[in-house]
Amino acid sequence: MRATTPGYDFARGIWRENPVLVQLLGLCPALAVTNTVANSLAMGLATFFVLVGSSLLVSTLKNLIPHEVRISAYILIIATFVTVADLVLAAVVPDIHKALGAFIALIVVNCMILGRQEAFASKRPVGRALLDAVGTGTGFIIALLMMGGIREVLGYGTFLGWPLFGASYEPWIIMILPPGGFFTLGFILLAFSWRESRRQEKPSVRDWPHGVGAATRRSA
Amino acid sequence: MNEQPPADPPALRLLGTLTLAGALAGLLLVVVNGWAEPRIMAHRAEVLREAIQEVLGGPERYETLFLVDGRLTAAPPADADTLKMDRIYAGYDAEGRSIGLAISGGEPGFQDVIRLLFGFDPTTGRITGMKVLESKETPGLGDKIEKDSSFVAEFAGPAPPLIGVKSGSGSGDENEVDMITGATISSRTVIDIINHRLEELEPYLLRIEGDAP
């Protein structure tokens, strides 16, 4: 297990190991409910709440949960938080709850959340688990907002319901239909891997004094 | 990562841990549900109330009529479970005259069940309005059944049984409704729900006319 700094634990999930854009986890909600910015935000916040709550609890209880039943225990904890989020959304923002439909309940099977419990929260102190969950959750919200922003602006011609273009704008209906989700995600991933490959081909100036080996080691 | 796997803990401990965790989770959910449920029910009642106002053109008050033993009545037997009964809503104007009935119905549309409320005036025999309560129809196409105001406006005034016609090709008959281009199945479902519900309730609707207060 590599030692990491608290700052790295927090920042990693936001960008460099973004759950959706780099790890390709949690794609189901990222494709299904990102047709508007408001839906993306609600889904992101609900997932954030479940991830942070579960990581805190799993990290606190890690010594009490027997190894053999840990996955069942994690799922139980996650499902409880999801049901709480589901009820709170239905009570507070019924319209958004209606728009998200079954996808709130499906947060239970979001492998990003279970993955963070098994790979991180169950092995680290509570503080680190919290930082990691907040970072990963923020990364998830950012990814969903990128998807939702692009799809709403092109598909409805609005941002958070505010019209951006004149009446002459013909919305690209395909962008708010399921194919639009795949197109948007595809283009975002393309941009990400293009940027990543450029970063690897051109090592930064700092690497040169160590010779070519430093750059090769990094990309290996 | 090189710790030895611990000896198997007794099965009882595994069971105990999960049972305790399940009980605690259940307790938490009971508390949260106790807080959330009244709010959810209040919101549903509010949505229904607004829909009744809309499809009946703003009645002064309305009354819920339950279908009990083949008869519509405002006072169901005290021991009956009203939640499971079929019901309609009768609207009255300020002078207490009946101005129409709001009837809900649901049938499978293109994606999932479409549930809607429509107003029917038995004295003129015409539909007075339609409002979709629940639908998961395709965004941008099928969801026009609730978002396209010209389609919704089609349901102010036609006489049942309704017939769906291709937009612009109707003969101007009073039971024609222009369907939405690109959302034929969703439009037809809306029309079918109204026709089927009226057909089903017709014998009872005639009877309340005689009983009207």
Side-chain angles (χ1 to χ4, degrees):
Chain A
M1 206 182 294
R2 200 154 42 94
T4 53
T5 64
Y8 181 76
D9 280 348
F10 172 71
R12 174 182 48 196
I14 296 181
W15 199 248
R16 183 172 288 200
E17 291 180 24
N18 184 295
V20 178
L21 305 175
V22 178
Q23 300 185 57
L24 303 186
L25 294 176
L27 290 187
C28 173
L31 288 166
V33 296
T34 54
N35 53 351
T36 65
V37 177
N39 288 354
S40 308
L41 191 62
M43 188 67 194
L45 288 175
T47 311
F48 181 90
F49 164 76
V50 174
L51 179 60
V52 171
S54 312
S55 284
L56 265 183
L57 210 56
V58 165
S59 181
T60 312
L61 303 176
K62 59 182 176 294
N63 296 327
L64 297 176
I65 300 173
H67 188 73
E68 288 77 3
V69 291
R70 66 187 193 287
I71 302 286
S72 330
Y74 301 160
I75 291 284
L76 184 69
I77 291 170
I78 295 168
T80 309
F81 279 107
V82 169
T83 314
V84 169
D86 190 25
L87 288 169
V88 170
L89 281 174
V92 181
V93 280
D95 294 332
I96 287 184
H97 181 264
K98 200 177 137 198
L100 297 182
F103 289 98
I104 299 176
L106 286 175
I107 298 174
V108 177
V109 290
N110 188 325
C111 43
M112 175 189 88
I113 295 178
L114 187 61
R116 290 332 288 165
Q117 310 314 318
E118 171 72 1
F120 200 90
S122 59
K123 295 169 184 159
R124 307 293 167 100
V126 178
R128 289 294 184 93
L130 179 67
L131 283 174
D132 174 72
V134 170
T136 308
T138 310
F140 188 71
I141 294 179
I142 291 174
L144 257 58
L145 283 180
M146 283 171 74
M147 295 276 299
I150 295 172
R151 292 179 67 188
E152 183 178 339
V153 166
L154 295 177
Y156 286 108
T158 59
F159 188 84
L160 272 174
W162 293 92
L164 293 182
F165 313 113
S168 59
Y169 179 72
E170 183 64 38
W172 303 12
I173 286 174
I174 187 128
M175 293 307 282
I176 49 177
L177 297 179
F182 285 99
F183 288 141
T184 311
L185 185 67
F187 278 113
I188 294 178
L189 292 182
L190 182 70
F192 252 71
S193 11
W194 177 70
R195 197 178 138 273
E196 184 63 20
S197 66
R198 295 236 318 182
R199 211 164 60 90
Q200 287 183 358
E201 275 169 25
K202 280 196 208 158
S204 60
V205 180
R206 263 185 311 171
D207 289 334
W208 286 113
H210 305 290
V212 182
T216 337
R217 263 203 309 282
R218 238 178 77 194
S219 59
Chain B
M1 279 281 112
N2 44 17
E3 64 203 52
Q4 288 294 313
D8 281 356
L12 217 55
R13 176 160 176 248
L14 302 184
L15 268 178
T17 314
L18 281 184
T19 312
L20 186 69
L24 288 178
L27 197 67
L28 175 68
L29 292 184
V30 168
V31 173
V32 175
N33 192 47
W35 170 84
E37 200 177 17
R39 283 166 176 78
I40 297 170
M41 299 304 269
H43 172 75
R44 263 192 217 149
E46 179 64 17
V47 168
L48 182 67
R49 203 185 58 78
E50 273 170 19
I52 292 171
Q53 291 291 332
E54 196 177 320
V55 299
L56 293 181
E60 186 66 22
R61 63 182 186 87
Y62 70 87
E63 188 173 58
T64 310
L65 301 177
F66 299 94
L67 183 60
V68 189
D69 303 327
R71 196 170 163 279
L72 284 163
T73 170
D79 56 339
D81 181 5
T82 53
L83 285 178
K84 286 182 187 144
M85 283 177 194
D86 198 356
R87 71 193 63 189
I88 65 172
Y89 308 91
Y92 302 96
D93 66 8
E95 278 87 50
R97 282 186 306 249
S98 168
I99 57 168
L101 306 166
I103 304 169
S104 65
E107 273 177 40
F110 189 68
Q111 305 268 25
D112 199 352
V113 172
I114 298 174
R115 286 185 27 79
L116 57 80
L117 188 79
F118 65 95
F120 175 67
D121 187 347
T123 49
T124 59
R126 283 173 187 273
I127 305 289
T128 57
M130 183 279 295
K131 171 132 181 97
V132 175
L133 297 176
E134 265 172 49
S135 104
K136 295 194 173 68
E137 300 300 280
T138 322
L141 296 170
D143 73 346
K144 284 186 183 164
I145 58 169
E146 54 183 317
K147 293 188 176 145
D148 184 340
S149 51
S150 67
F151 177 72
V152 175
E154 288 283 308
F155 291 90
L162 304 179
I163 299 169
V165 293
K166 211 157 102 185
S167 191
S169 72
S171 58
D173 232 21
E174 60 184 16
N175 50 8
E176 280 177 357
V177 169
D178 283 355
M179 298 204 289
I180 302 167
T181 312
T184 315
I185 295 174
S186 309
S187 318
R188 190 172 296 288
T189 308
V190 171
I191 293 166
D192 284 349
I193 293 171
I194 296 178
N195 287 342
H196 293 164
R197 281 293 277 167
L198 279 177
E199 213 170 283
E200 190 184 342
L201 288 170
E202 199 175 12
Y204 315 115
L205 297 185
L206 292 176
R207 205 174 301 182
I208 47 164
E209 268 182 286
D211 289 355

